[in-house]
């Protein structure tokens, strides 16, 4: 069997949002799941996963007690913290230092808690349209994220995302032609933007050392467990096998009525597909 380790993102165990203070203080605008992360971790461990990913807001908030709350969660469940996820606009020069200070806080938490990866998403779409120079600004910011990650002994990855200036295959090619940061493909977002995700995995094979698998259905638009919907994650798994990928696969699902059941279903799908290859 291919030597992959399975993790799950804790973002499904409550409403997704950010710190409202970030509206007026950019360095506080972290992602956060407004739920009980201890419950999330117990459900994820019970579903058979070995690792977990948290949003930056859910780990940085425990910095005052030296991350004791998160350390206890990891110890109680036996899960490894694999990655911390952060984001930013990244194209606006006047606020970039504030955003990078927040990314550095996420990196501090990731290092303290034993994570291997730092993942960022973003690249704002302007109200009056994207400018070509926005890709240069984003690439420059991602180079700075790489430097922050390296200082903390982490691998840095960029995560293309709907609603940003990097959604479709051409935009993905554009940004990775301007920065050396790693590529964390989110299969659902790439598929929803019109990408052949398996082909993109093969095209960008040398960039990939961490992966988000997520299901997506076209009509009605929704994110779903990994084996459902219109994103062929089976083909993606075969592509990852073909490029000899090793490392962590993080299943993800933004919202689900029964998050524990969603985690179990996605785990079972990936294990079944791995058995085939």
């Amino acid at each position: 069997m291919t030597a992959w380790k399975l993790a799950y993102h804790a973002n499904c165990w409550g409403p997704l949002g950010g710190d409202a203070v970030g509206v007026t203080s950019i360095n506080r605008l972290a992602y956060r799941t407004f739920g009980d992360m201890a419950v999330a971790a117990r459900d994820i461990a019970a579903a058979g996963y070995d690792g977990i990913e948290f949003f930056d807001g859910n780990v940085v908030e425990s910095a005052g007690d030296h991350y004791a709350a998160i350390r206890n969660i990891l110890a109680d469940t036996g899960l490894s913290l694999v990655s911390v996820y952060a984001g930013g606009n990244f194209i606006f020069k006047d606020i970039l230092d504030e955003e990078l200070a927040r990314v550095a806080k996420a990196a501090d938490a990731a290092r303290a808690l034993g994570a291997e990866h730092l993942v960022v998403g973003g690249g704002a779409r302007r109200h009056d349209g994207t400018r070509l120079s926005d890709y240069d600004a984003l690439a420059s910011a991602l180079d700075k994220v790489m430097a922050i990650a390296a200082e903390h002994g982490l691998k840095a990855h960029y995560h293309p995302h709907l609603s940003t200036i990097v959604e479709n295959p051409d935009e993905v090619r554009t940004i990775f032609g301007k920065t050396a940061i790693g590529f964390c493909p989110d299969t659902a977002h790439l598929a929803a933007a019109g990408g052949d995700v398996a082909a993109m995995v093969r095209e960008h094979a040398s960039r990939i050392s961490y992966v988000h698998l997520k299901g997506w259905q076209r009509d009605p638009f929704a994110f779903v467990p990994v084996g459902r919907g219109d994103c062929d994650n089976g083909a993606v798994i075969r592509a990852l096998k073909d490029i000899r990928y090793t490392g962590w696969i993080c299943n993800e699902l933004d919202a689900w009525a029964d998050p524990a059941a969603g985690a179990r279903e996605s785990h079972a799908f990936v294990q079944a597909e791995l058995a085939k290859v």
Side-chain angles (χ1 to χ4, degrees):
M1 181 179 290
T2 303
W4 297 342
K5 297 173 285 187
L6 298 184
Y8 204 82
H9 201 299
N11 60 352
C12 198
W13 276 260
L16 308 184
D19 189 335
V21 177
V23 174
T24 53
S25 300
I26 295 296
N27 62 32
R28 293 283 299 278
L29 194 56
Y31 283 109
R32 183 173 299 177
T33 299
F34 291 94
D36 189 329
M37 293 299 95
V39 171
R42 286 196 297 270
D43 288 346
I44 289 167
Y49 294 92
D50 295 314
I52 192 168
E53 177 175 312
F54 287 119
F55 281 139
D56 53 341
N58 289 107
V59 292
V60 170
E61 68 180 358
S62 67
D65 63 359
H66 303 287
Y67 310 107
I70 300 298
R71 290 184 194 279
N72 289 339
I73 288 171
L74 298 175
D76 289 345
T77 59
L79 294 171
S80 298
L81 178 63
V82 179
S83 178
V84 174
Y85 186 101
N89 292 274
F90 292 140
I91 66 168
F92 302 120
K93 182 178 179 180
D94 286 350
I95 65 169
L96 182 59
D97 285 349
E98 299 297 308
E99 293 183 319
L100 293 176
R102 182 166 42 75
V103 171
K105 291 178 183 177
D108 285 340
R111 176 178 60 182
L113 294 165
E116 181 179 352
H117 301 289
L118 176 69
V119 180
V120 298
R125 286 200 180 274
R126 298 174 185 268
H127 74 96
D128 57 354
T130 301
R131 306 168 189 172
L132 290 178
S133 60
D134 290 344
Y135 290 99
D136 293 323
L138 174 57
S140 177
L142 294 177
D143 287 344
K144 292 179 173 64
V145 170
M146 286 180 62
I148 291 169
E151 290 171 3
H152 291 79
L154 304 169
K155 296 178 183 177
H157 306 268
Y158 178 65
H159 176 294
H161 202 288
L162 296 174
S163 80
T164 72
I165 63 174
V166 184
E167 296 182 350
N168 63 49
D170 287 340
E171 293 166 345
V172 170
R173 289 188 194 101
T174 294
I175 196 60
F176 287 126
K178 296 176 179 291
T179 175
I181 198 169
F183 176 23
C184 175
D186 180 304
T187 58
H189 283 267
L190 295 171
D196 178 335
V197 187
M200 295 177 76
V201 164
R202 292 187 173 94
E203 178 181 351
H204 300 282
S206 64
R207 296 281 190 136
I208 299 172
S209 60
Y210 187 53
V211 177
H212 279 186
L213 284 185
K214 186 191 296 184
W216 163 73
Q217 69 179 28
R218 181 176 288 105
D219 187 23
F221 183 100
F223 294 122
V224 294
V226 170
R228 300 193 196 188
D230 298 294
C231 176
D232 189 351
N233 279 307
V236 174
I237 288 170
R238 292 191 292 276
L240 289 167
K241 182 260 184 182
D242 289 345
I243 69 170
R244 300 173 184 255
Y245 176 78
T246 59
W248 286 97
I249 299 284
C250 183
N251 291 342
E252 186 185 358
L253 183 53
D254 288 354
W256 201 245
D258 185 341
R264 291 192 299 270
E265 181 178 332
S266 291
H267 188 278
F269 173 83
V270 174
Q271 292 287 46
E273 291 299 309
L274 284 176
K276 296 176 184 177
V277 299

